[in-house]
mmCIF file of all heavy atoms in Angstrom:
data_model
loop_
_atom_site.group_PDB
_atom_site.id
_atom_site.type_symbol
_atom_site.label_atom_id
_atom_site.label_comp_id
_atom_site.label_asym_id
_atom_site.label_seq_id
_atom_site.Cartn_x
_atom_site.Cartn_y
_atom_site.Cartn_z
ATOM 1 N N GLY G 1 -144.155 22.140 -109.139
ATOM 2 C CA GLY G 1 -144.823 22.120 -110.442
ATOM 3 C C GLY G 1 -145.157 23.533 -110.894
ATOM 4 O O GLY G 1 -146.077 23.769 -111.685
ATOM 5 N N GLY G 2 -144.373 24.505 -110.406
ATOM 6 C CA GLY G 2 -144.679 25.916 -110.618
ATOM 7 C C GLY G 2 -144.571 26.394 -112.052
ATOM 8 O O GLY G 2 -145.095 27.459 -112.380
ATOM 9 N N ALA G 3 -143.885 25.635 -112.926
ATOM 10 C CA ALA G 3 -143.793 26.030 -114.336
ATOM 11 C C ALA G 3 -144.824 25.310 -115.194
ATOM 12 O O ALA G 3 -144.824 25.428 -116.414
ATOM 13 C CB ALA G 3 -142.385 25.752 -114.868
ATOM 14 N N GLY G 4 -145.711 24.553 -114.549
ATOM 15 C CA GLY G 4 -146.760 23.857 -115.283
ATOM 16 C C GLY G 4 -147.956 24.746 -115.559
ATOM 17 O O GLY G 4 -147.984 25.933 -115.201
ATOM 18 N N PHE G 5 -148.964 24.178 -116.182
ATOM 19 C CA PHE G 5 -150.189 24.898 -116.525
ATOM 20 C C PHE G 5 -150.831 25.498 -115.267
ATOM 21 O O PHE G 5 -150.939 26.719 -115.134
ATOM 22 C CB PHE G 5 -151.134 23.941 -117.257
ATOM 23 C CG PHE G 5 -152.574 24.353 -117.279
ATOM 24 C CD1 PHE G 5 -152.957 25.610 -117.739
ATOM 25 C CD2 PHE G 5 -153.567 23.472 -116.855
ATOM 26 C CE1 PHE G 5 -154.298 25.980 -117.755
ATOM 27 C CE2 PHE G 5 -154.899 23.845 -116.876
ATOM 28 C CZ PHE G 5 -155.272 25.090 -117.322
ATOM 29 N N LEU G 6 -151.216 24.650 -114.315
ATOM 30 C CA LEU G 6 -151.847 25.165 -113.099
ATOM 31 C C LEU G 6 -150.853 25.914 -112.223
ATOM 32 O O LEU G 6 -151.162 26.973 -111.672
ATOM 33 C CB LEU G 6 -152.475 24.026 -112.294
ATOM 34 C CG LEU G 6 -153.706 23.362 -112.890
ATOM 35 C CD1 LEU G 6 -154.205 22.261 -111.963
ATOM 36 C CD2 LEU G 6 -154.811 24.381 -113.142
ATOM 37 N N GLY G 7 -149.644 25.359 -112.098
ATOM 38 C CA GLY G 7 -148.633 25.964 -111.231
ATOM 39 C C GLY G 7 -148.327 27.400 -111.594
ATOM 40 O O GLY G 7 -148.201 28.272 -110.722
ATOM 41 N N SER G 8 -148.233 27.687 -112.884
ATOM 42 C CA SER G 8 -147.887 29.054 -113.316
ATOM 43 C C SER G 8 -149.023 30.032 -113.002
ATOM 44 O O SER G 8 -148.787 31.174 -112.611
ATOM 45 C CB SER G 8 -147.547 29.078 -114.806
ATOM 46 O OG SER G 8 -148.650 28.667 -115.598
ATOM 47 N N HIS G 9 -150.267 29.581 -113.163
ATOM 48 C CA HIS G 9 -151.401 30.437 -112.797
ATOM 49 C C HIS G 9 -151.437 30.680 -111.292
ATOM 50 O O HIS G 9 -151.785 31.778 -110.842
ATOM 51 C CB HIS G 9 -152.713 29.798 -113.268
ATOM 52 C CG HIS G 9 -152.946 29.917 -114.744
ATOM 53 N ND1 HIS G 9 -153.469 31.053 -115.327
ATOM 54 C CD2 HIS G 9 -152.714 29.055 -115.761
ATOM 55 C CE1 HIS G 9 -153.562 30.879 -116.638
ATOM 56 N NE2 HIS G 9 -153.109 29.677 -116.926
ATOM 57 N N LEU G 10 -151.052 29.661 -110.520
ATOM 58 C CA LEU G 10 -151.002 29.826 -109.058
ATOM 59 C C LEU G 10 -149.892 30.804 -108.654
ATOM 60 O O LEU G 10 -150.080 31.618 -107.746
ATOM 61 C CB LEU G 10 -150.799 28.472 -108.384
ATOM 62 C CG LEU G 10 -152.031 27.564 -108.382
ATOM 63 C CD1 LEU G 10 -151.648 26.134 -108.038
ATOM 64 C CD2 LEU G 10 -153.090 28.084 -107.406
ATOM 65 N N CYS G 11 -148.749 30.727 -109.333
ATOM 66 C CA CYS G 11 -147.665 31.689 -109.066
ATOM 67 C C CYS G 11 -148.176 33.118 -109.242
ATOM 68 O O CYS G 11 -147.961 33.979 -108.387
ATOM 69 C CB CYS G 11 -146.480 31.450 -110.002
ATOM 70 S SG CYS G 11 -145.526 29.960 -109.637
ATOM 71 N N GLU G 12 -148.874 33.361 -110.337
ATOM 72 C CA GLU G 12 -149.404 34.704 -110.613
ATOM 73 C C GLU G 12 -150.397 35.146 -109.544
ATOM 74 O O GLU G 12 -150.361 36.289 -109.074
ATOM 75 C CB GLU G 12 -150.092 34.729 -111.985
ATOM 76 C CG GLU G 12 -149.145 34.643 -113.148
ATOM 77 C CD GLU G 12 -149.862 34.614 -114.484
ATOM 78 O OE1 GLU G 12 -151.046 34.215 -114.532
ATOM 79 O OE2 GLU G 12 -149.228 34.972 -115.480
ATOM 80 N N ARG G 13 -151.280 34.236 -109.155
ATOM 81 C CA ARG G 13 -152.317 34.595 -108.175
ATOM 82 C C ARG G 13 -151.698 34.958 -106.823
ATOM 83 O O ARG G 13 -152.086 35.962 -106.201
ATOM 84 C CB ARG G 13 -153.305 33.436 -108.010
ATOM 85 C CG ARG G 13 -154.353 33.648 -106.911
ATOM 86 C CD ARG G 13 -155.236 34.869 -107.204
ATOM 87 N NE ARG G 13 -156.116 35.185 -106.080
ATOM 88 C CZ ARG G 13 -157.367 34.739 -105.938
ATOM 89 N NH1 ARG G 13 -157.890 33.936 -106.857
ATOM 90 N NH2 ARG G 13 -158.088 35.083 -104.894
ATOM 91 N N PHE G 14 -150.736 34.154 -106.361
ATOM 92 C CA PHE G 14 -150.165 34.421 -105.039
ATOM 93 C C PHE G 14 -149.245 35.651 -105.054
ATOM 94 O O PHE G 14 -149.157 36.370 -104.053
ATOM 95 C CB PHE G 14 -149.489 33.172 -104.482
ATOM 96 C CG PHE G 14 -150.490 32.215 -103.894
ATOM 97 C CD1 PHE G 14 -151.099 31.242 -104.674
ATOM 98 C CD2 PHE G 14 -150.871 32.328 -102.569
ATOM 99 C CE1 PHE G 14 -152.058 30.392 -104.143
ATOM 100 C CE2 PHE G 14 -151.826 31.488 -102.025
ATOM 101 C CZ PHE G 14 -152.426 30.514 -102.809
ATOM 102 N N LEU G 15 -148.607 35.932 -106.173
ATOM 103 C CA LEU G 15 -147.868 37.196 -106.293
ATOM 104 C C LEU G 15 -148.840 38.378 -106.204
ATOM 105 O O LEU G 15 -148.582 39.364 -105.515
ATOM 106 C CB LEU G 15 -147.102 37.243 -107.617
ATOM 107 C CG LEU G 15 -145.852 36.361 -107.692
ATOM 108 C CD1 LEU G 15 -145.364 36.242 -109.131
ATOM 109 C CD2 LEU G 15 -144.731 36.905 -106.796
ATOM 110 N N LYS G 16 -149.963 38.243 -106.890
ATOM 111 C CA LYS G 16 -150.981 39.304 -106.879
ATOM 112 C C LYS G 16 -151.514 39.538 -105.458
ATOM 113 O O LYS G 16 -151.864 40.662 -105.081
ATOM 114 C CB LYS G 16 -152.126 38.887 -107.814
ATOM 115 C CG LYS G 16 -153.194 39.936 -108.029
ATOM 116 C CD LYS G 16 -154.244 39.409 -108.996
ATOM 117 C CE LYS G 16 -155.492 40.265 -108.943
ATOM 118 N NZ LYS G 16 -156.616 39.634 -109.656
ATOM 119 N N GLU G 17 -151.574 38.454 -104.667
ATOM 120 C CA GLU G 17 -152.074 38.547 -103.292
ATOM 121 C C GLU G 17 -151.000 39.028 -102.311
ATOM 122 O O GLU G 17 -151.239 39.105 -101.105
ATOM 123 C CB GLU G 17 -152.623 37.196 -102.832
ATOM 124 C CG GLU G 17 -153.810 36.685 -103.630
ATOM 125 C CD GLU G 17 -155.092 37.465 -103.394
ATOM 126 O OE1 GLU G 17 -155.136 38.248 -102.414
ATOM 127 O OE2 GLU G 17 -156.035 37.311 -104.187
ATOM 128 N N GLY G 18 -149.772 39.302 -102.831
ATOM 129 C CA GLY G 18 -148.734 39.873 -101.987
ATOM 130 C C GLY G 18 -147.792 38.870 -101.341
ATOM 131 O O GLY G 18 -147.093 39.213 -100.383
ATOM 132 N N TYR G 19 -147.750 37.651 -101.851
ATOM 133 C CA TYR G 19 -146.860 36.628 -101.304
ATOM 134 C C TYR G 19 -145.492 36.675 -101.977
ATOM 135 O O TYR G 19 -145.359 37.161 -103.108
ATOM 136 C CB TYR G 19 -147.447 35.224 -101.532
ATOM 137 C CG TYR G 19 -148.649 34.899 -100.679
ATOM 138 C CD1 TYR G 19 -149.884 35.512 -100.903
ATOM 139 C CD2 TYR G 19 -148.563 33.966 -99.648
ATOM 140 C CE1 TYR G 19 -150.994 35.217 -100.128
ATOM 141 C CE2 TYR G 19 -149.668 33.654 -98.872
ATOM 142 C CZ TYR G 19 -150.874 34.286 -99.113
ATOM 143 O OH TYR G 19 -151.967 33.986 -98.345
ATOM 144 N N TYR G 20 -144.478 36.140 -101.287
ATOM 145 C CA TYR G 20 -143.182 35.856 -101.906
ATOM 146 C C TYR G 20 -143.279 34.429 -102.426
ATOM 147 O O TYR G 20 -143.512 33.493 -101.646
ATOM 148 C CB TYR G 20 -142.052 35.981 -100.878
ATOM 149 C CG TYR G 20 -140.676 35.828 -101.481
ATOM 150 C CD1 TYR G 20 -139.906 36.945 -101.801
ATOM 151 C CD2 TYR G 20 -140.144 34.570 -101.744
ATOM 152 C CE1 TYR G 20 -138.648 36.815 -102.366
ATOM 153 C CE2 TYR G 20 -138.892 34.429 -102.312
ATOM 154 C CZ TYR G 20 -138.149 35.552 -102.621
ATOM 155 O OH TYR G 20 -136.895 35.407 -103.192
ATOM 156 N N VAL G 21 -143.119 34.249 -103.734
ATOM 157 C CA VAL G 21 -143.389 32.955 -104.364
ATOM 158 C C VAL G 21 -142.096 32.266 -104.803
ATOM 159 O O VAL G 21 -141.255 32.877 -105.478
ATOM 160 C CB VAL G 21 -144.329 33.129 -105.580
ATOM 161 C CG1 VAL G 21 -144.489 31.816 -106.339
ATOM 162 C CG2 VAL G 21 -145.695 33.649 -105.124
ATOM 163 N N ILE G 22 -141.959 31.011 -104.415
ATOM 164 C CA ILE G 22 -140.853 30.162 -104.884
ATOM 165 C C ILE G 22 -141.462 29.067 -105.739
ATOM 166 O O ILE G 22 -142.256 28.247 -105.243
ATOM 167 C CB ILE G 22 -140.085 29.545 -103.699
ATOM 168 C CG1 ILE G 22 -139.531 30.636 -102.793
ATOM 169 C CG2 ILE G 22 -138.972 28.627 -104.197
ATOM 170 C CD1 ILE G 22 -139.219 30.158 -101.381
ATOM 171 N N ALA G 23 -141.141 29.063 -107.019
ATOM 172 C CA ALA G 23 -141.624 28.020 -107.934
ATOM 173 C C ALA G 23 -140.545 26.956 -108.069
ATOM 174 O O ALA G 23 -139.370 27.271 -108.221
ATOM 175 C CB ALA G 23 -141.939 28.617 -109.297
ATOM 176 N N MET G 24 -140.951 25.695 -108.014
ATOM 177 C CA MET G 24 -140.009 24.581 -108.162
ATOM 178 C C MET G 24 -140.535 23.653 -109.250
ATOM 179 O O MET G 24 -141.722 23.311 -109.261
ATOM 180 C CB MET G 24 -139.889 23.834 -106.824
ATOM 181 C CG MET G 24 -138.811 22.780 -106.795
ATOM 182 S SD MET G 24 -138.643 22.059 -105.125
ATOM 183 C CE MET G 24 -137.730 23.345 -104.274
ATOM 184 N N ASP G 25 -139.665 23.263 -110.182
ATOM 185 C CA ASP G 25 -140.102 22.403 -111.287
ATOM 186 C C ASP G 25 -138.874 21.762 -111.913
ATOM 187 O O ASP G 25 -137.821 22.399 -112.003
ATOM 188 C CB ASP G 25 -140.842 23.246 -112.346
ATOM 189 C CG ASP G 25 -141.852 22.441 -113.149
ATOM 190 O OD1 ASP G 25 -141.447 21.444 -113.786
ATOM 191 O OD2 ASP G 25 -143.041 22.813 -113.134
ATOM 192 N N ASN G 26 -139.005 20.493 -112.347
ATOM 193 C CA ASN G 26 -137.901 19.867 -113.074
ATOM 194 C C ASN G 26 -138.137 19.901 -114.586
ATOM 195 O O ASN G 26 -137.331 19.388 -115.358
ATOM 196 C CB ASN G 26 -137.664 18.426 -112.591
ATOM 197 C CG ASN G 26 -138.813 17.496 -112.917
ATOM 198 O OD1 ASN G 26 -139.885 17.940 -113.343
ATOM 199 N ND2 ASN G 26 -138.609 16.200 -112.722
ATOM 200 N N LEU G 27 -139.253 20.501 -114.999
ATOM 201 C CA LEU G 27 -139.572 20.771 -116.414
ATOM 202 C C LEU G 27 -139.772 19.507 -117.257
ATOM 203 O O LEU G 27 -139.664 19.571 -118.477
ATOM 204 C CB LEU G 27 -138.493 21.669 -117.051
ATOM 205 C CG LEU G 27 -138.256 23.011 -116.351
ATOM 206 C CD1 LEU G 27 -137.172 23.809 -117.065
ATOM 207 C CD2 LEU G 27 -139.545 23.824 -116.264
ATOM 208 N N ILE G 28 -140.106 18.366 -116.637
ATOM 209 C CA ILE G 28 -140.374 17.199 -117.499
ATOM 210 C C ILE G 28 -141.719 17.351 -118.218
ATOM 211 O O ILE G 28 -141.890 16.844 -119.315
ATOM 212 C CB ILE G 28 -140.270 15.823 -116.787
ATOM 213 C CG1 ILE G 28 -141.289 15.672 -115.658
ATOM 214 C CG2 ILE G 28 -138.864 15.539 -116.311
ATOM 215 C CD1 ILE G 28 -141.400 14.241 -115.142
ATOM 216 N N THR G 29 -142.647 18.073 -117.607
ATOM 217 C CA THR G 29 -143.875 18.434 -118.332
ATOM 218 C C THR G 29 -144.151 19.933 -118.252
ATOM 219 O O THR G 29 -144.947 20.454 -119.029
ATOM 220 C CB THR G 29 -145.112 17.663 -117.808
ATOM 221 O OG1 THR G 29 -145.304 17.970 -116.424
ATOM 222 C CG2 THR G 29 -144.935 16.167 -117.971
ATOM 223 N N GLY G 30 -143.511 20.628 -117.324
ATOM 224 C CA GLY G 30 -143.658 22.085 -117.232
ATOM 225 C C GLY G 30 -142.832 22.781 -118.309
ATOM 226 O O GLY G 30 -142.042 22.150 -119.011
ATOM 227 N N ASN G 31 -143.030 24.091 -118.423
ATOM 228 C CA ASN G 31 -142.331 24.869 -119.449
ATOM 229 C C ASN G 31 -141.907 26.200 -118.836
ATOM 230 O O ASN G 31 -142.739 26.954 -118.336
ATOM 231 C CB ASN G 31 -143.262 25.109 -120.643
ATOM 232 C CG ASN G 31 -142.541 25.703 -121.833
ATOM 233 O OD1 ASN G 31 -141.557 26.441 -121.680
ATOM 234 N ND2 ASN G 31 -143.026 25.398 -123.023
ATOM 235 N N ILE G 32 -140.618 26.480 -118.902
ATOM 236 C CA ILE G 32 -140.088 27.703 -118.295
ATOM 237 C C ILE G 32 -140.736 28.952 -118.891
ATOM 238 O O ILE G 32 -140.843 29.996 -118.236
ATOM 239 C CB ILE G 32 -138.538 27.751 -118.433
ATOM 240 C CG1 ILE G 32 -137.926 28.679 -117.376
ATOM 241 C CG2 ILE G 32 -138.111 28.133 -119.822
ATOM 242 C CD1 ILE G 32 -137.972 28.162 -115.986
ATOM 243 N N LYS G 33 -141.232 28.852 -120.133
ATOM 244 C CA LYS G 33 -141.898 30.001 -120.765
ATOM 245 C C LYS G 33 -143.141 30.427 -119.987
ATOM 246 O O LYS G 33 -143.554 31.586 -120.069
ATOM 247 C CB LYS G 33 -142.288 29.667 -122.210
ATOM 248 C CG LYS G 33 -141.096 29.584 -123.156
ATOM 249 C CD LYS G 33 -141.549 29.264 -124.555
ATOM 250 C CE LYS G 33 -140.340 29.204 -125.496
ATOM 251 N NZ LYS G 33 -140.707 28.698 -126.826
ATOM 252 N N ASN G 34 -143.742 29.490 -119.251
ATOM 253 C CA ASN G 34 -144.951 29.813 -118.488
ATOM 254 C C ASN G 34 -144.690 30.804 -117.357
ATOM 255 O O ASN G 34 -145.622 31.463 -116.881
ATOM 256 C CB ASN G 34 -145.571 28.536 -117.899
ATOM 257 C CG ASN G 34 -146.194 27.649 -118.954
ATOM 258 O OD1 ASN G 34 -146.556 28.108 -120.034
ATOM 259 N ND2 ASN G 34 -146.325 26.364 -118.655
ATOM 260 N N ILE G 35 -143.423 30.872 -116.898
ATOM 261 C CA ILE G 35 -143.111 31.768 -115.768
ATOM 262 C C ILE G 35 -142.006 32.777 -116.096
ATOM 263 O O ILE G 35 -141.588 33.532 -115.234
ATOM 264 C CB ILE G 35 -142.723 30.963 -114.502
ATOM 265 C CG1 ILE G 35 -141.606 29.956 -114.803
ATOM 266 C CG2 ILE G 35 -143.935 30.265 -113.916
ATOM 267 C CD1 ILE G 35 -141.043 29.269 -113.573
ATOM 268 N N GLU G 36 -141.570 32.793 -117.349
ATOM 269 C CA GLU G 36 -140.498 33.720 -117.745
ATOM 270 C C GLU G 36 -140.838 35.169 -117.409
ATOM 271 O O GLU G 36 -139.977 35.945 -117.001
ATOM 272 C CB GLU G 36 -140.238 33.600 -119.257
ATOM 273 C CG GLU G 36 -139.026 32.764 -119.573
ATOM 274 C CD GLU G 36 -138.825 32.605 -121.080
ATOM 275 O OE1 GLU G 36 -139.681 33.028 -121.878
ATOM 276 O OE2 GLU G 36 -137.785 32.038 -121.435
ATOM 277 N N HIS G 37 -142.107 35.520 -117.567
ATOM 278 C CA HIS G 37 -142.528 36.906 -117.330
ATOM 279 C C HIS G 37 -142.477 37.292 -115.848
ATOM 280 O O HIS G 37 -142.650 38.469 -115.520
ATOM 281 C CB HIS G 37 -143.941 37.120 -117.881
ATOM 282 C CG HIS G 37 -144.996 36.287 -117.222
ATOM 283 N ND1 HIS G 37 -145.023 34.909 -117.327
ATOM 284 C CD2 HIS G 37 -146.051 36.626 -116.425
ATOM 285 C CE1 HIS G 37 -146.056 34.434 -116.642
ATOM 286 N NE2 HIS G 37 -146.690 35.453 -116.075
#
């Protein structure tokens, strides 16, 4: 759910903490624009 509302914020937080992040989403409610950056 990494392209969703909460998922995208979590991606940012764990990148900031120095993790390698893999986001997975089928985009039925998520939006690729949330993680494009």
